[in-house]
Amino acid sequence: MSKYIGASVKRKEDGRFITGRGRYTDDIVLPNMTHAYIVRSPHAHAKIKSINVDQAKAQPGVVAIFTGKDMEADGVGSVPNGWQIGEDMKEPPHPPLAVGKVRHVGDGVAVVIAEDRYAAKDAAELVEVDYEILPAVTDGAKAMEKGAPALHDEAPDNVSFVWELGDKDAADNALKNSHRTTKLEIVNQRLIANAIEPRSAIGDYDAGRDELTLYTSSQNPHLIRLLMCAFVLGIPEHKVRIISPDVGGGFGSKICHYPEEIIMSWATRKIERPIKWTAERSESYLTDAHGRDHHTTAEMGFDKDGNILGLRVNTVANLGAYLSTLAGGIPTWLYGTLLAGQYKTKSIYVQVTGVFTNTTPVDAYRGAGRPEATYVIERLMDTAAREMNMDPAELRRKNFIAPDAFPYQTPVVMQYDSGNYEPALDKALQMINYKKLREEQKQARDQGRLLGIGFSAYIEACGIAPSKVAGAIGLRAGLYEGASVRVHPTGKVMVYTGSHSHGQGHETTFAQVAADGFGISIDDVEVVHGDTAQIPFGMGTYGSRSIAVGGNAIYKAIEKIKEKAKKIAAHKLEASADDLEFADGSWTVKGTDKSVTFAEVALIAYVPHDYPEDLEPGLEDNAFWDPKNFTFPFGTHICSVEIDPDTGKVKILKYVAVDDVGNVINPMIVDGQLHGGIAQGAGQVLWEEAVYDDSGQLLTGTMMDYAIPKADDLPSFEIDRTTTPCPDNPLGVKGAGEAGTIASTACIANAVIDAVAHLGVKDLQMPFTPQRVWNAIHGNGNR
Amino acid sequence: MTHTINVNVNGVAHEAQVEPRVLLVHFLRDDLRLTGTHIGCDTSQCGACTVLVDGISSKSCTMFAVQADGREVTTIEGLAKNGELHPLQEAFREEHGLQCGFCTPGVILSVYDFLQHNSKPNEEEIRHALEGNYCRCTGYHNIVKAVQKAAE
Ligand code: FES
Ligand code: FES
């Protein structure tokens, strides 16, 4: 029946991208448009004594200049925090432009609006800000020390929250009674997402209709509208339209609600002209939400046979200067709840402290919480295997949750939907030719070469859900997805989705679902996303939720429409609806050749000349999908690396990945998601890190200083999959956007350490730069 | 103060007045409204702005518009001829060599130049040729495949 689902259909959206006809926010030009440049703090922590804009205002082409005080005087609210962690959480205000004090380098202090971008930038240089510099702190652990500079009056100890999960006594006991324990100190360094399209926003106020349109490079336009209307500007939602057109990558950094979206929306109402702001890359480095930044100690206890008995984890999460939209939930609920991994660990306890520092706010970055959890567990597993002299694959196999144990309740909240972990491991072992590879490793060592093999058997929780649970864990949003499907009189179909595509290929994948649902050609389906005026409601794209939540909403809307269409078909065929079957785009009276096509039914729906009384004309419907549970994709990645002993440089020789993301709608697109994900995970292990100096200056503030992987740095990846459908949704899908990143960081890290462990290197912290690796090799006196 | 420049862009002659400090990429995007050429950085690392200047791949964020005076510029909009996609464009679609598409015009144009000099590259050579272009989405895996396919 399915012609498209499961097929590697070429992407519908590619036509415009390969010919330069994409339409990203910065490509849009509106009549009478002005350009904004934001004056930003050069200091990490300072009092604003005064701001003088007189000279700047007198420059040619300058239209207006506003400061935080202007916005405050106008009643503009704080950038909202979307996730409450515990009753006692400290939520200090975050003004869109700083008032009184700046708290990180790049904190905005004024906006200059001019006729063109060059004029705006010129004038911005003449804005005089008198700062009184205060001592700064950039490290999470140091910010908690007595006497550390305090960022917010509301949180004198710089702590926003202390969160815990699991049974502390049980975990303590398990570790006490363990035959042996493995302990690691783990730094999951701060990263910068680096979507290649810098963020951009255009505010466009129509005074005649009192309507605001905001174009913004966002992953979830509806949420931005909700937050901005309800919490910041206090203007009604029906007067606001948010458009996120083509967006050049997000990776989490375009989920959150940013000050610039507020500033453009507010200022356009003041000057009654459209205003565009587009970040320069160095501005992105200072203001795009950063990711990760955990400092963790973790202990895992085993019995004498290698069965895991308990896990205890303590993490300090650096939140940056303010609470970004989802900042609280990521190092807590999206992290602690995944610490069981693929293993039947009986007792787990985790404590997380969220801390303010004079750095850029931290929010989601690909995987968000789950890569951090996987890194902790999988590093512990490889280390423990080495300490116990066991094969790392066998230690994992021994501890896997059995396939007949699903749904499986972990000790940390989650109930895994479905899983079968051994086949993925076996396939990966086979693909990398494991036995032979170990042989090669031995031989290599004899020759003085440094070859390592690393594992990562991960689990992921996709499509945060259901709304009931989201509410219970403090998330200030529901987590369903909306869809609207409209059938035109000629049988052409429009699908409106609340999910947002910024590279994931929704225009194709969702069209595949609709084309198969109606038995029509994919060319007859158009998918619309990223515009709050066209789409009833939605929650956007992040956390690999698009197909699992958004796709199923579309499926549900299609089913509703087919219910009605069947009645129309029954009328046309003068048969009872119960006697009809739907196949290949037609309804047929069972056992006869009497049939009517989808297109014919569509026409009748809109030209109801001869229509039964109880049917209403038209053929369209909306649906919302609120999932029963998260979905839990999993898999095993294995890689081999070689280290050049003279330079410490790591080369990934081979990388194999076996992932199980449930049913797959478009294998080509899913593989592409995995490739990109693996590359980003590799970036974290080997090169990427946001580095601050003690005064709070970001030293990795340009693409020259922050090492994004290039084509030359990476191998091609070998990818395969197993399929364990999700039992909780009709499409049986789980989600694939983050799996690669979640798995690959631990996998490559384990391989590097495996390559040097025999030299006495016990541990290394990311990123494993040549310098760090070389020092580790040579610092142990073994060579 | 402005200068008069004559630039042929995608086969069309343009005479324009530009300030000497205006970057070629801004001239293409803002003045000619050819927005297929993208800006991803301000340090000439990302390659999103790559165009052909007299047939040679060049980062248009690293050139002033005045430096293009008297020269021929090809942007992504000028690559398809007579409604026919260039084989590289076809190959990127076939091999899923793009996701968000933001890096894609720059990648295609830099590879275009590369293939003029090496029509049968191996994987290593392709990866090396992509040094000046960042792609954050694809992990380069399918970009390499697309270039191989186009070279066939
Ligand atoms: S914009 Fe030219 S190289 Fe990045
Ligand atoms: S496709 Fe998104 S940056 Fe390359």
Side-chain angles (χ1 to χ4, degrees):
Chain A
M1 253 282 278
S2 51
K3 192 165 149 211
Y4 294 108
I5 291 181
S8 288
V9 176
K10 302 292 176 255
R11 297 203 322 171
K12 284 164 81 80
E13 46 269 82
D14 286 354
R16 65 179 186 274
F17 295 144
I18 54 178
T19 55
R21 293 190 181 93
R23 195 163 184 253
Y24 303 87
T25 303
D26 190 58
D27 298 342
I28 294 167
V29 173
L30 301 174
N32 210 21
M33 187 169 82
T34 62
H35 295 262
Y37 188 87
I38 294 177
V39 180
R40 298 187 181 279
S41 168
H43 306 296
H45 200 186
K47 275 195 187 126
I48 303 172
K49 285 167 50 185
S50 65
I51 303 177
N52 185 340
V53 300
D54 295 347
Q55 226 196 322
K57 236 179 196 159
Q59 289 301 300
V62 171
V63 176
I65 301 180
F66 300 109
T67 66
K69 282 207 170 134
D70 297 320
M71 296 183 77
E72 189 182 58
D74 224 26
V76 177
S78 165
V79 185
N81 165 35
W83 205 326
Q84 188 183 0
I85 303 303
E87 308 262 294
D88 301 332
M89 182 187 210
K90 304 291 189 316
E91 301 182 61
H94 179 191
L97 286 173
V99 179
K101 200 177 175 192
V102 289
R103 294 181 175 85
H104 68 93
V105 174
D107 212 352
V109 292
V111 57
V112 177
I113 301 163
E115 297 294 345
D116 69 66
R117 66 174 97 222
Y118 286 81
K121 205 170 167 175
D122 283 347
E125 281 181 14
L126 299 172
V127 172
E128 290 165 21
V129 188
D130 189 6
Y131 293 104
E132 177 190 326
I133 300 171
L134 301 169
V137 62
T138 59
D139 177 272
K142 285 197 186 133
M144 286 159 63
E145 284 170 9
K146 242 190 146 88
L151 275 79
H152 302 279
D153 295 346
E154 293 79 358
D157 56 356
N158 292 320
V159 172
S160 175
F161 59 81
V162 180
W163 176 89
E164 55 176 8
L165 185 68
D167 186 335
K168 182 166 190 314
D169 292 342
D172 288 347
N173 274 328
L175 282 158
K176 214 182 325 154
N177 298 324
S178 290
H179 175 69
R180 60 175 312 131
T181 60
T182 294
K183 185 172 177 179
L184 281 178
E185 199 171 319
I186 286 175
V187 177
N188 206 301
Q189 82 273 29
R190 180 181 282 244
L191 301 178
I192 302 174
N194 273 298
I196 302 300
E197 177 207 26
R199 284 191 298 117
S200 182
I202 305 172
D204 179 22
Y205 179 60
D206 175 345
R209 293 174 190 272
D210 185 27
E211 279 174 6
L212 170 72
T213 302
L214 173 71
Y215 300 82
T216 178
S217 51
S218 171
Q219 296 178 222
N220 52 354
H222 284 89
L223 193 69
I224 302 304
R225 183 180 65 174
L226 172 66
L227 293 174
M228 202 164 69
C229 292
F231 302 105
V232 191
L233 294 180
I235 48 181
E237 251 172 310
H238 66 283
K239 291 288 188 190
V240 177
R241 174 181 185 185
I242 313 273
I243 300 175
S244 295
D246 288 329
V247 172
F251 316 115
S253 71
K254 290 175 183 167
I255 299 176
C256 41
H257 187 21
Y258 280 103
E260 294 82 7
E261 293 166 331
I262 298 164
I263 299 166
M264 296 311 125
S265 299
W266 172 79
T268 181
R269 291 162 66 97
K270 288 271 146 199
I271 65 167
E272 295 195 9
R273 286 178 65 181
I275 313 171
K276 181 196 280 182
W277 167 82
T278 300
E280 295 179 352
R281 178 61 51 179
S282 31
E283 208 175 355
S284 298
Y285 274 99
L286 295 174
T287 64
D288 288 7
H290 292 180
R292 318 273 196 257
D293 208 339
H294 285 194
H295 201 124
T296 297
T297 49
E299 289 163 277
M300 197 178 240
F302 295 86
D303 70 10
K304 62 178 185 335
D305 298 323
N307 295 301
I308 308 169
L309 297 178
L311 172 67
R312 194 166 50 204
V313 176
N314 190 304
T315 295
V316 174
N318 185 345
L319 305 171
Y322 304 99
L323 287 169
S324 185
T325 313
L326 302 176
I330 291 158
T332 53
W333 293 106
L334 296 184
Y335 165 70
T337 54
L338 260 286
L339 285 169
Q342 296 191 356
Y343 312 113
K344 42 188 195 241
T345 308
K346 288 186 203 75
S347 38
I348 300 176
Y349 172 74
V350 48
Q351 189 192 63
V352 180
T353 310
V355 189
F356 295 113
T357 64
N358 296 109
T359 58
T360 297
V362 175
D363 207 300
Y365 172 62
R366 204 163 190 168
R370 292 148 289 174
E372 294 92 317
T374 301
Y375 192 69
V376 169
I377 308 161
E378 292 303 291
R379 284 292 322 281
L380 282 167
M381 289 303 271
D382 259 38
T383 309
R386 189 170 307 115
E387 289 173 359
M388 291 188 249
N389 223 345
M390 269 181 87
D391 187 285
E394 294 320 306
L395 179 65
R396 287 179 169 85
R397 191 187 302 279
K398 180 185 266 294
N399 283 285
F400 278 160
I401 297 160
D404 59 3
F406 293 91
Y408 178 84
Q409 181 62 52
T410 74
V412 275
V413 180
M414 293 298 191
Q415 196 189 61
Y416 295 165
D417 53 356
S418 60
N420 190 4
Y421 303 146
E422 280 202 67
L425 172 68
D426 287 336
K427 209 173 212 182
L429 288 169
Q430 204 186 332
M431 280 163 72
I432 202 143
N433 208 342
Y434 185 55
K435 278 217 181 84
K436 189 156 159 256
L437 191 59
R438 282 286 180 210
E439 281 301 311
E440 278 173 32
Q441 183 182 33
K442 239 187 245 143
Q443 287 165 11
R445 267 187 200 161
D446 294 343
Q447 301 159 5
R449 287 167 54 215
L450 302 175
L451 203 77
I453 306 164
F455 283 78
S456 176
Y458 72 97
I459 186 144
E460 168 179 15
C462 292
I464 310 177
S467 296
K468 219 184 337 186
V469 169
I473 63 179
L475 186 58
R476 290 166 171 153
L479 279 168
Y480 48 82
E481 191 49 85
S484 176
V485 176
R486 175 173 301 157
V487 180
H488 290 278
T490 54
K492 311 288 182 217
V493 173
M494 303 289 290
V495 173
Y496 301 85
T497 172
S499 306
H500 181 275
S501 182
H502 31 283
Q504 297 90 338
H506 294 172
E507 289 169 43
T508 308
T509 305
F510 292 168
Q512 287 176 258
V513 172
D516 272 357
F518 292 128
I520 57 177
S521 161
I522 196 167
D523 296 332
D524 292 341
V525 184
E526 193 65 36
V527 175
V528 180
H529 62 94
D531 182 349
T532 61
Q534 294 199 63
I535 297 144
F537 204 82
M539 295 300 298
T541 285
Y542 40 87
S544 303
R545 69 191 299 276
S546 290
I547 192 66
V549 193
N552 281 298
I554 293 168
Y555 180 88
K556 194 171 159 188
I558 290 169
E559 289 301 303
K560 284 186 182 177
I561 292 171
K562 277 165 78 177
E563 271 302 297
K564 179 173 178 188
K566 193 175 185 180
K567 288 184 193 151
I568 302 172
H571 167 67
K572 170 74 180 170
L573 295 168
E574 296 176 334
S576 150
D578 295 340
D579 292 336
L580 298 190
E581 343 177 89
F582 182 73
D584 292 336
S586 296
W587 285 268
T588 307
V589 183
K590 281 179 208 155
T592 74
D593 59 357
K594 277 174 58 180
S595 74
V596 55
T597 65
F598 175 71
E600 286 168 329
V601 168
L603 189 63
I604 299 165
Y606 291 97
V607 189
H609 290 165
D610 151 35
Y611 219 54
E613 270 178 17
D614 54 343
L615 265 183
E616 90 183 23
L619 204 53
E620 63 176 271
D621 220 324
N622 293 338
F624 288 85
W625 180 261
D626 197 349
K628 275 218 310 248
N629 190 2
F630 288 79
T631 66
F632 294 90
F634 60 87
T636 294
H637 292 202
I638 311 176
C639 75
S640 61
V641 302
E642 177 153 12
I643 297 171
D644 179 342
D646 294 331
T647 62
K649 190 169 185 237
V650 177
K651 184 172 174 173
I652 305 168
L653 299 176
K654 198 168 161 97
Y655 194 103
V656 306
V658 179
D659 298 277
D660 193 320
V661 297
N663 288 342
V664 166
I665 308 292
N666 187 321
M668 175 191 82
I669 289 177
V670 167
D671 287 354
Q673 292 293 304
L674 282 157
H675 297 154
I678 294 168
Q680 286 190 2
Q684 172 163 21
V685 196
L686 297 177
W687 305 285
E688 296 183 37
E689 181 174 28
V691 182
Y692 285 93
D693 72 7
D694 286 341
S695 73
Q697 292 296 329
L698 180 63
L699 300 180
T700 49
T702 70
M703 278 183 170
M704 289 202 275
D705 313 298
Y706 185 94
I708 300 168
K710 296 181 196 170
D712 225 6
D713 298 321
L714 297 167
S716 287
F717 313 110
E718 289 175 41
I719 285 187
D720 205 344
R721 59 175 67 88
T722 59
T723 305
T724 310
C726 175
D728 298 327
N729 65 58
L731 291 173
V733 292
K734 290 192 167 186
E738 300 158 299
T741 305
I742 292 172
S744 65
T745 307
C747 182
I748 300 166
N750 281 334
V752 175
I753 294 170
D754 186 53
V756 294
H758 65 290
L759 304 176
V761 179
K762 289 208 161 43
D763 197 7
L764 267 170
Q765 300 296 0
M766 295 189 289
F768 298 173
T769 56
Q771 188 184 0
R772 259 190 209 167
V773 174
W774 192 90
N775 279 335
I777 296 172
H778 293 265
N780 282 285
N782 287 337
R783 290 180 61 90
Chain B
M1 199 189 58
T2 58
H3 288 266
T4 306
I5 56 168
N6 285 288
V7 200
N8 187 306
V9 182
N10 300 331
V12 181
H14 294 272
E15 187 180 289
Q17 301 287 322
V18 291
E19 271 189 74
R21 64 171 172 171
V22 168
L23 298 172
L24 177 58
V25 68
H26 284 148
F27 174 70
L28 294 170
R29 288 178 54 83
D30 297 346
D31 294 20
L32 303 189
R33 301 289 308 127
L34 293 167
T35 55
T37 305
H38 297 149
I39 305 171
C41 70
D42 34 43
T43 49
S44 295
Q45 312 306 122
C46 76
C49 64
T50 307
V51 298
L52 303 175
V53 178
D54 291 339
I56 296 166
S57 73
S58 313
K59 290 182 171 172
S60 61
C61 72
T62 319
M63 261 182 86
F64 294 114
V66 289
Q67 291 176 288
D69 187 21
R71 304 173 86 170
E72 269 184 39
V73 176
T74 306
T75 71
I76 191 72
E77 288 92 342
L79 207 56
K81 290 272 174 325
N82 311 321
E84 291 266 313
L85 289 179
H86 186 274
L88 261 170
Q89 292 171 307
E90 289 283 9
F92 270 73
R93 168 192 253 158
E94 280 297 311
E95 297 297 331
H96 189 31
L98 63 150
Q99 290 183 22
C100 76
F102 196 79
C103 71
T104 313
V107 171
I108 288 180
L109 288 166
S110 76
V111 172
Y112 177 97
D113 185 11
F114 165 65
L115 289 179
Q116 305 290 315
H117 300 103
N118 184 350
S119 55
K120 292 221 162 20
N122 60 29
E123 176 175 341
E124 209 183 314
E125 290 166 334
I126 296 171
R127 287 186 178 274
H128 191 68
L130 288 165
E131 278 287 87
N133 294 81
Y134 284 148
C135 174
R136 195 59 159 165
C137 298
T138 62
Y140 306 102
H141 181 108
N142 285 342
I143 292 183
V144 172
K145 274 171 63 183
V147 178
Q148 273 163 344
K149 172 148 201 162
E152 274 169 18

